[in-house]
Amino acid sequence: MGERVFTNCTAATMVEGGDPYGLIEGAAIAVADSQVAWVGPARDLPQDFAAWPTHDLDGALVTPALIDCHTHIVFGGDRAREFEMRLGGASYEEIARAGGGIVSTVRATRSASDEELLQSALRRVDDLLEDGVAVIEVKSGYGLTIADEMRMLRVARTIERHRPVRIRTTWLAAHALPPEFADRPDAYIDEVAITGLTAAHSEGLVDAVDGFCEGIGFTPTQIRRLFEHARSLGLPAKLHAEQLSDLKGAVLAAEFGALSADHLEYLDPPDVPRLADAGTVAVLLPGAFYALRETKLPPIAALREHGVPIALATDCNPGSSPISSLRLSMNMACTLFQLTPEEALAGVTSNAAAALGLQGEYGTIADGMRADLAVWHTAHPSMLAYWIGGNLLHGRIIAGEFSER
Ligand code: NIG
Ligand code: FE
């Protein structure tokens, strides 16, 4: 079923080792059963595929479908008022300590119905789809009761039934301390973050476990207890680490062999080899850096030097990163962090897949990988990071089926 050869295209395979971007001009891509069966120069197409129906892509650029590997896309309300407060001089931390911040989105999320949460999330998902995204990671973390955290993840999973997108769900109950647990963070970790994880996992709702390791979040000791429980359930870890200060969250993440450590502006360069040794992906979130007007840059040179894979994501959330364009995040990563356009594209394809443990299925165009591809109006992949806004997407190939955008 669904056998086809896409012809007359340039393929940025993102397979390492050859040309930049793994670029193949005059490419053919054979797909069957939702997977790539062959990719290479059209002149080398094996005889086996010659009889398959062809689809001429008219010279378009084809990349792996993009992956947004860190979002908080399911939430109630917005925080436009806090944007105004920050412009007036208040810091993100001050607003959080005064009862705003994440906890204000918790109030709005708890009082929203499932349908309201879904519909508002779908609008943001549609924005991401316009950028050729086909995989989105979604975190809980705005419910902060067992029931509301599980509800967020159920709503997140529902997105797959409404849009052509793969959703990965992450348990982020250790995001902030809700008012009913004021001054009792350890009790919250035990009674909600850990107990709820068991419940959510037994309902099949959890692909990974995350926490906010920060002065306004949880201590490394508290996160360690959560990660130990995650490990006993066989669940991988991710961590919001070193976003506002250096609590050695990345070192903790590496110790647990985490899939990723995310944010990392305050990561100390001597700690970078720990990430490299653990195979932990550094997920950079330039939207949050930009929106919080952060000035401390993540240690990019050390990450490169030690070969830590760098991924990029929107961090789409109502507080620190109100952005639903992954291409704009790529542009910001180049402009603000001086990533190359090639690093930016790897950051939302191959390395983003690794940050989700999906590198065997997504993120490169190669035999046996999912035939989820993005088809662009542009001639060269550097355009994807360079051009700000606009609609560069021509179409999507999802499970081997082409549709025009
Ligand atoms: O990734 N840092 C913690 N979590 C989010 C912010 C969430 C919020 O402000 O609502 C982040 O930046
Ligand atoms: Fe985040």
Side-chain angles (χ1 to χ4, degrees):
M1 73 154 238
E3 290 173 344
R4 185 162 289 112
V5 182
F6 293 97
T7 59
N8 192 14
C9 60
T10 298
T13 63
M14 303 313 287
V15 172
E16 272 183 56
D19 298 317
Y21 300 99
L23 208 65
I24 303 172
E25 314 238 13
I29 305 170
V31 303
D33 298 328
S34 309
Q35 290 184 344
V36 173
W38 187 86
V39 59
R43 60 176 180 277
D44 298 341
L45 184 71
Q47 203 48 39
D48 308 2
F49 306 107
W52 290 13
T54 57
H55 182 130
D56 187 321
L57 289 172
D58 202 18
L61 171 73
V62 181
T63 67
L66 305 194
I67 298 169
D68 195 350
C69 68
H70 178 143
T71 86
H72 309 249
I73 213 161
V74 172
F75 60 82
D78 65 65
R79 305 235 291 277
R81 176 70 197 117
E82 289 180 15
F83 176 58
E84 294 172 337
M85 288 162 72
R86 284 205 311 279
L87 292 174
S91 77
Y92 182 70
E93 266 177 292
E94 283 162 3
I95 292 169
R97 291 189 192 282
I102 293 171
V103 168
S104 72
T105 298
V106 170
R107 286 190 289 272
T109 302
R110 286 179 180 175
S111 61
S113 68
D114 292 6
E115 188 59 21
E116 286 166 343
L117 289 177
L118 174 65
Q119 291 307 327
S120 70
L122 286 177
R123 286 195 289 276
R124 296 181 281 270
V125 167
D126 285 339
D127 292 345
L128 291 178
L129 296 187
E130 289 288 288
D131 274 348
V133 170
V135 182
I136 304 174
E137 185 257 14
V138 184
K139 300 175 194 296
S140 69
Y142 294 125
L144 310 188
T145 63
I146 293 176
D148 283 307
E149 288 288 298
M150 289 176 69
R151 199 163 74 85
M152 283 188 69
L153 294 187
R154 278 188 217 108
V155 168
R157 288 278 175 98
T158 314
I159 292 168
E160 281 187 348
R161 287 195 235 136
H162 297 269
R163 295 294 185 274
V165 68
R166 172 99 176 256
I167 300 291
R168 300 293 277 183
T169 45
T170 299
W171 178 257
L172 178 60
H175 194 199
L177 195 62
E180 61 273 19
F181 279 90
D183 301 322
R184 294 188 298 130
D186 288 301
Y188 176 78
I189 291 289
D190 288 331
E191 292 167 32
V192 178
I194 290 178
T195 306
L197 174 57
T198 307
H201 174 60
S202 63
E203 203 180 298
L205 288 173
V206 185
D207 296 313
V209 177
D210 196 347
F212 187 24
C213 187
E214 194 54 67
I216 54 170
F218 295 91
T219 65
T221 309
Q222 288 156 349
I223 299 289
R224 173 182 296 278
R225 285 200 287 122
L226 173 66
F227 279 1
E228 277 166 357
H229 186 60
R231 183 156 64 189
S232 76
L233 297 174
L235 291 168
K238 300 171 81 68
L239 191 63
H240 285 71
E242 276 77 86
Q243 181 186 11
L244 307 170
S245 61
D246 181 14
L247 296 188
K248 304 292 170 202
V251 173
L252 177 70
E255 190 189 321
F256 280 83
L259 289 173
S260 69
D262 303 40
H263 286 287
L264 302 178
E265 282 87 338
Y266 287 80
L267 174 61
D268 198 13
D271 294 336
V272 168
R274 309 279 198 103
L275 294 178
D277 293 346
T280 298
V281 176
V283 178
L284 305 183
L285 304 166
F289 177 94
Y290 166 84
L292 299 182
R293 294 161 74 214
E294 180 57 70
T295 54
K296 179 133 174 41
L297 289 164
I300 307 285
L303 293 171
R304 282 187 183 128
E305 184 193 334
H306 293 281
V308 176
I310 298 174
L312 302 173
T314 61
D315 195 15
C316 178
N317 77 69
S320 65
S321 195
I323 173 174
S324 50
S325 167
L326 191 55
R327 275 210 317 105
L328 180 53
S329 305
M330 292 165 70
N331 176 271
M332 287 177 169
C334 295
T335 306
L336 301 173
F337 298 165
Q338 284 184 275
L339 259 58
T340 65
E342 190 183 343
E343 286 173 320
L345 189 57
V348 296
T349 54
S350 50
N351 292 342
L356 298 178
L358 292 176
Q359 61 273 34
E361 279 180 86
Y362 290 92
T364 56
I365 309 178
D367 296 7
M369 302 294 281
R370 287 266 312 184
D372 284 13
L373 311 170
V375 183
W376 306 93
H377 282 302
T378 135
H380 194 272
S382 58
M383 275 289 285
L384 302 179
Y386 151 72
W387 196 260
I388 301 172
N391 294 318
L392 301 186
L393 191 73
H394 168 61
R396 323 180 163 80
I397 297 169
I398 299 291
E401 295 292 329
F402 177 86
S403 60
E404 208 155 319
R405 82 163 262 282

